[in-house]
Structure formats: structure tokens, C-alpha cells
Amino acid sequence: MIQPISGIHHITAIASDPQRNVDFYTRVLGLRLVKKTINFDAPDVYHFYFGDERGSPGTILTFFPFSGASKGKRGMGELTFTALSIPKESIPFWRKRLKGFGIPVSDTLQRFGEEVIRFTDPDGMGIELLAVTQDARTGWAGASVPEEHAIRGIAGATLNLRDPEPTAALLTQVLNYRFEQALPGKRFRYGIEGKPGEAIDLVVQDPPDRSIQSAGSVHHIAFRTATMEQQVEIQRHLQNQGVPVTEVKDRSYFKSIYFREPGGLLFEVATDSPGFAIDEPLESLGTRLMLPDWVAPQREQIESKLKPIRVNYQEPWTN
């Protein structure tokens, strides 16, 4: 019996300008930069992690900012919208705040009985703010967003697919998801226990063209599991199902396995531990470039290739 996946661990996207990326997610959305490190596969590229005070699993958005990258094209075979949880009464606050920064915001949408507003980040990544009635998570109070309106974490994600059935089978048979509800012929929601941070919506061909991955595109979505033992059990089950899956990879702050779901999106299963305080004190998370042991001797060379990043949570944002 496979142990349960408990929801979404993090979502990773591609950005272009590193400073603009940091400014938007800290100054506009009020998230904390909990880790500043490098792309392990491209050490001359940053890897930023944003989340709540601790970078708790289920609150984390991460980015690979490739300077000068062109914008990607949203489409089929892609995670098109990342939904973030806000308190139910906070839609007016966020609409006013985003418009104050000159960010176009959608009308308030109604979906599965929930209010949603949509916008994009500076690279075109699709973001939704979802007004959630019950979310026990607390937002970070260290930025310019008042604590009562702060983002609580990830609410869910929308996957755009040609055929949702094979992906639905993977979710239900391997990742312990279950079908919850549908909007006629178009959107199918899957969850675990109906809590914030779980929802996966499968949408059929909207938009219908194939996506092109670059800045503003989601690179992968990671699901969370409590232990390495559970992760290995899921890995074995995938192998038994004939799904190509990687070996366990050490990402310093969690262990990961990767595989492609039938629609082509990259999925990850990541462990909850050890977390982001393993190499920095909680009070100073994200303030220093942290390097894995295997490249630490090359710090001077790596830092010389990375544009210095300034973080100021209170200063007004300008695009």
C-alpha cells in the first residue's frame, strides 16, 4: 500500500531578470525569500525559493532566473495557473494592491464556489489568488502586506492537457488523489482530503496550442511526502507501472524523484525534510548565497558570474 501524498510541496518556474523576480515576489506578493542558491544543473544561474517564514512545504514557489530569456508560450501540456491561498475577505485588498502597482487583474471569477482573481507576474507566469474560507496556515508578516491579508501558501494548480484521463489515472492510482468535482466538459478537480494546498485541476486544451517553455513557464510541480521511505515506495510503484523515474536526488533541503506524467508535464515527489533552516538560522533565511558542498570550493568563481541581488521587503515595487 502506497503511503499518501499530502499535497503540493512546491512549484518551480523559469524567470528572466533575477532582481525583478525577487522584487515582485517579495515586494508585491509579500513572500519571504527563504533560500538563495544555484541551479544544481547550471551553477551560473540562481535558484530562488519564496514562501512563508520557514519555507514550509506547500508554501514554496521557486524560480530559475535565466537572464535575458525570452517569454514562453502558454498552452497545452503545461501548468498554466498557480493558485495561491488568501483569506476569504482579502480579494478587495489584493485587487486594489495589484492595480496600484499597475498590474492588470481579471474580474472576480467564480469556480467551485470560490472567488478567484487572475494576473501574471513580470515574465507572464499565470497566478491566481483564491479566496479560501478555511486555511489554518499563517502568512508571513515580514513584508509590506498586512498579516491579515498575507498569502497563506499554494492552493492548487491548473494543468492544461489534450486528454485528462491518463493523467487522472496517475493521480488516483499512484499519488493517492481522488476525483472531487467537475465543471461541464472542461475542468476536473482532484484532491486528497479537500484541504488548501492539494487541488489539481485538469483542464482540456485551454489554450489549444502547444506550450513553449521559457521565461514565465512552470518547469515542474512537486508533490510532498513525509519521509524518504514513502518516497522510495512511490518510486517503486512508478517503476512497476512502467513509468520512467529518476533515482533519488539530494536537493539539500529535500530529497526528490522526477518523472513525466502522460501529458508531458514534469512531476516531482519531494520530502518534507530537512527543510531550509539546515544551513541558515531561521531569522536570516535567504540573506546569503548558499551552495551545496560539492561546489562550495568554487564559491568565488560562482559568485563572480551571478549578478548581486538586493532584497528590501518594504520598499515600493516598480516594474
Side-chain angles (χ1 to χ4, degrees):
M1 178 68 181
I2 299 175
Q3 296 298 318
I5 292 287
S6 57
I8 298 170
H9 186 282
H10 67 268
I11 292 173
T12 294
I14 300 170
S16 54
D17 183 79
Q19 185 65 63
R20 186 175 66 173
N21 180 254
V22 167
D23 287 344
F24 182 81
Y25 284 93
T26 57
R27 296 184 192 178
V28 177
L29 296 192
L31 301 179
R32 186 181 190 186
L33 177 63
V34 295
K35 195 62 60 179
K36 179 172 61 174
T37 183
I38 57 168
N39 182 331
F40 287 4
D41 299 317
D44 59 341
V45 175
Y46 279 116
H47 192 176
F48 298 139
Y49 292 80
F50 303 96
D52 67 1
E53 182 181 17
R54 296 179 173 274
S56 305
T59 73
I60 309 162
L61 299 179
T62 100
F63 292 87
F64 301 131
F66 288 87
S67 296
S70 60
K71 277 193 176 183
K73 179 182 177 183
R74 189 176 302 157
M76 193 168 49
E78 185 186 25
L79 196 162
T80 51
F81 284 95
T82 295
L84 305 176
S85 171
I86 60 172
K88 185 172 178 58
E89 67 279 4
S90 295
I91 288 283
F93 168 85
W94 278 100
R95 180 181 294 285
K96 181 178 179 181
R97 179 177 178 85
L98 293 167
K99 287 184 175 180
F101 286 124
I103 299 168
V105 186
S106 74
D107 293 336
T108 301
L109 310 173
Q110 297 288 334
R111 190 172 69 213
F112 298 125
E114 301 164 327
E115 290 188 334
V116 185
I117 57 173
R118 283 180 167 179
F119 57 98
T120 61
D121 80 357
D123 288 302
M125 176 181 166
I127 301 173
E128 296 177 332
L129 295 182
L130 181 66
V132 177
T133 303
Q134 294 182 331
D135 190 339
R137 298 174 295 181
T138 57
W140 187 51
S144 62
V145 177
E147 186 174 3
E148 65 268 24
H149 296 300
I151 290 169
R152 284 6 188 186
I154 295 171
T158 297
L159 279 54
N160 183 31
L161 303 165
R162 183 187 302 276
D163 179 4
E165 290 187 9
T167 303
L170 175 69
L171 289 172
T172 56
Q173 295 173 18
V174 179
L175 300 181
N176 294 109
Y177 271 75
R178 57 182 174 83
F179 172 74
E180 291 187 343
Q181 51 189 326
L183 296 177
K186 192 83 170 181
R187 181 180 290 267
F188 306 87
R189 172 159 294 182
Y190 291 80
I192 301 171
E193 296 179 344
K195 297 179 180 178
E198 300 173 357
I200 299 294
D201 285 3
L202 305 185
V203 171
V204 183
Q205 298 188 42
D206 181 24
D209 296 329
R210 191 75 191 177
S211 62
I212 299 175
Q213 194 173 86
S214 192
S217 302
V218 169
H219 185 269
H220 65 267
I221 178 172
F223 297 89
R224 58 184 292 199
T225 192
T227 67
M228 282 190 64
E229 289 75 18
Q230 293 176 2
Q231 182 184 66
V232 170
E233 192 172 357
I234 293 168
Q235 181 191 48
R236 288 172 181 162
H237 189 74
L238 288 165
Q239 291 168 339
N240 291 338
Q241 295 291 317
V243 178
V245 58
T246 67
E247 71 279 9
V248 175
K249 295 179 180 288
D250 186 351
R251 297 311 194 192
S252 294
Y253 311 108
F254 44 85
K255 301 293 193 298
S256 299
I257 58 173
Y258 300 86
F259 56 97
R260 294 275 176 187
E261 57 82 35
L265 285 85
L266 184 61
F267 278 10
E268 175 184 354
V269 174
T271 58
D272 282 352
S273 60
F276 293 101
I278 190 173
D279 55 2
E280 288 180 290
L282 177 63
E283 61 271 16
S284 59
L285 288 178
T287 59
R288 184 171 182 262
L289 178 68
M290 304 308 298
L291 300 176
D293 291 342
W294 54 273
V295 294
Q298 303 169 38
R299 173 175 289 275
E300 185 175 346
Q301 179 184 358
I302 289 171
E303 288 184 335
S304 71
K305 295 180 179 180
L306 295 171
K307 181 180 177 181
I309 296 300
R310 179 173 172 267
V311 182
N312 185 324
Y313 293 100
Q314 303 298 327
E315 186 175 298
W317 178 77
T318 55
N319 188 0

